Amino acid sequence: MSAARGVAVGIILLIIIGVVISASVKIVDSGHRGVLLHWNAVDLTQPPLEEGLHFVVPFQDEVVNIEVRTLKYASDARSASRDLQTVETTVTVNYHPNREAVHRLYKDIGLDYENRVIQPAIEETVKQVTAKYNAEELITKRPLVKQDIEAAITERLNQFEVVTEVISITDFEFSPLFAQAIESKVEAEQNALRAENDLRRIEVEAKQREANAIGLANANIAEAKGEAEAIAIINRALAENPNYLDWLKTQAWDGKLPLVVGEGGTPFIQIPIKP
């Protein structure tokens, strides 16, 4: 009986030791941080526990795992523009909890911080920003609107120890009637711009044709002046020296006897106009 009792006591001791060891050893999973609790109260004096094995006071301490890898949250936001046009958009936020402050996040908000913090921040921010612009500006100034929304969401979430990485905003969607009106206006502006470009092209081509005509006229005038000057030079030479004509004939003769000769045996040779 004593031997059996000893075995039972040993088994009980082993069970107690196993339970104590199990309560003393806590594991923080990869990609997580551990929040240390003393009697279910967050210990803000201790930094979040890193990944791996940790020993705590059994039955007194607990460890809550909080994922700190990049997470994604998408929210559909409905708002109104400054000119009271209904706007619908989807905002996607890539974020992660502040790795050095997850214990404060857990103490102030808990694990359901997406619904308690991120979703309201997105909805309220989109409403505030879109109310500053009219519907047309939401389309034409989209980069500026996106920048305003990103800055406001980032600032607000940082207050709750949530770090934003990338914020994506899909196209702003309006009512079908308003979207059709915007499309018609854009098409009219494009047609007007195309017509203006065609007009400019026609004006440029007309100026080019005018310039070409002026250049051709100037060339003809210059050629006529050159021929007149050449004739004047020849006339002066003939007036000063009657033998100048015979000299021109000899300069132009190629040494071959012509088929037709003039009176006195002088060949008919074409006299150049230009000297």
Side-chain angles (χ1 to χ4, degrees), residues 99-248:
R99 297 178 178 86
E100 306 304 323
V102 290
H103 52 333
R104 291 195 294 270
L105 173 64
Y106 181 78
K107 177 179 175 60
D108 296 337
I109 302 173
L111 295 177
D112 192 24
Y113 56 87
E114 281 191 347
N115 293 326
R116 293 185 178 183
V117 174
I118 298 180
Q119 181 178 357
I122 292 175
E123 293 179 351
E124 294 180 14
T125 298
V126 170
K127 290 180 180 179
Q128 292 174 358
V129 173
T130 54
K132 299 178 181 178
Y133 300 88
N134 59 42
E136 184 177 353
E137 289 175 338
L138 291 176
I139 299 175
T140 59
K141 299 182 179 180
R142 180 180 173 183
L144 180 60
V145 178
K146 181 177 183 293
Q147 181 180 350
D148 291 345
I149 292 176
E150 288 179 350
I153 291 178
T154 299
E155 181 181 1
R156 180 159 183 173
L157 293 185
N158 283 344
Q159 299 175 2
F160 300 100
E161 307 300 345
V162 176
V163 180
T164 58
E165 298 177 1
V166 178
I167 299 177
S168 302
I169 301 175
T170 60
D171 291 334
F172 295 101
E173 296 182 359
F174 304 93
S175 64
L177 184 60
F178 182 78
Q180 184 178 0
I182 289 294
E183 183 179 354
S184 299
K185 181 178 179 180
V186 172
E187 184 178 358
E189 291 177 349
Q190 291 177 346
N191 291 336
L193 180 60
R194 189 179 301 111
E196 183 179 355
N197 291 336
D198 290 341
L199 179 60
R200 291 179 179 176
R201 177 180 55 80
I202 292 173
E203 291 177 350
V204 171
E205 291 177 353
K207 291 180 179 179
Q208 290 177 344
R209 288 194 295 269
E210 181 180 357
N212 292 336
I214 293 174
L216 180 60
N218 291 336
N220 292 335
I221 292 173
E223 183 178 359
K225 288 182 178 179
E227 292 179 354
E229 292 177 358
I231 293 173
I233 292 173
I234 294 174
N235 289 335
R236 287 197 299 269
L238 289 174
E240 295 174 359
N241 186 0
N243 296 325
Y244 179 67
L245 182 60
D246 294 333
W247 181 80
L248 289 177

Side-chain angles (χ1 to χ4, degrees), residues 6-185:
V7 172
V9 171
I11 293 174
I12 293 173
L13 289 176
L14 288 175
I15 292 174
I16 293 174
I17 292 172
V19 171
V20 171
I21 293 176
S22 176
S24 302
V25 176
K26 302 297 179 181
I27 297 176
V28 178
D29 298 332
S30 175
H32 292 67
R33 290 293 185 273
V35 177
L36 182 63
L37 305 179
H38 294 311
W39 302 115
N40 287 332
V42 177
D43 184 5
L44 296 178
T45 62
Q46 295 291 332
L49 302 178
E50 299 284 341
E51 304 170 357
L53 188 67
H54 298 273
F55 292 96
V56 298
V57 178
F59 309 112
Q60 171 188 304
D61 296 342
E62 290 291 337
V63 175
V64 178
N65 276 266
I66 297 181
E67 188 173 5
V68 293
R69 289 176 288 204
T70 298
L71 302 171
K72 176 182 177 181
Y73 184 83
S75 176
D76 294 327
R78 185 183 181 91
S79 59
S81 62
R82 189 174 59 190
D83 52 354
L84 302 181
Q85 292 293 332
T86 301
V87 184
E88 294 184 2
T89 184
T90 299
V91 179
T92 302
V93 179
N94 290 341
Y95 71 94
H96 66 265
N98 187 345
R99 297 178 178 86
E100 306 304 323
V102 290
H103 52 333
R104 291 195 294 270
L105 173 64
Y106 181 78
K107 177 179 175 60
D108 296 337
I109 302 173
L111 295 177
D112 192 24
Y113 56 87
E114 281 191 347
N115 293 326
R116 293 185 178 183
V117 174
I118 298 180
Q119 181 178 357
I122 292 175
E123 293 179 351
E124 294 180 14
T125 298
V126 170
K127 290 180 180 179
Q128 292 174 358
V129 173
T130 54
K132 299 178 181 178
Y133 300 88
N134 59 42
E136 184 177 353
E137 289 175 338
L138 291 176
I139 299 175
T140 59
K141 299 182 179 180
R142 180 180 173 183
L144 180 60
V145 178
K146 181 177 183 293
Q147 181 180 350
D148 291 345
I149 292 176
E150 288 179 350
I153 291 178
T154 299
E155 181 181 1
R156 180 159 183 173
L157 293 185
N158 283 344
Q159 299 175 2
F160 300 100
E161 307 300 345
V162 176
V163 180
T164 58
E165 298 177 1
V166 178
I167 299 177
S168 302
I169 301 175
T170 60
D171 291 334
F172 295 101
E173 296 182 359
F174 304 93
S175 64
L177 184 60
F178 182 78
Q180 184 178 0
I182 289 294
E183 183 179 354
S184 299
K185 181 178 179 180

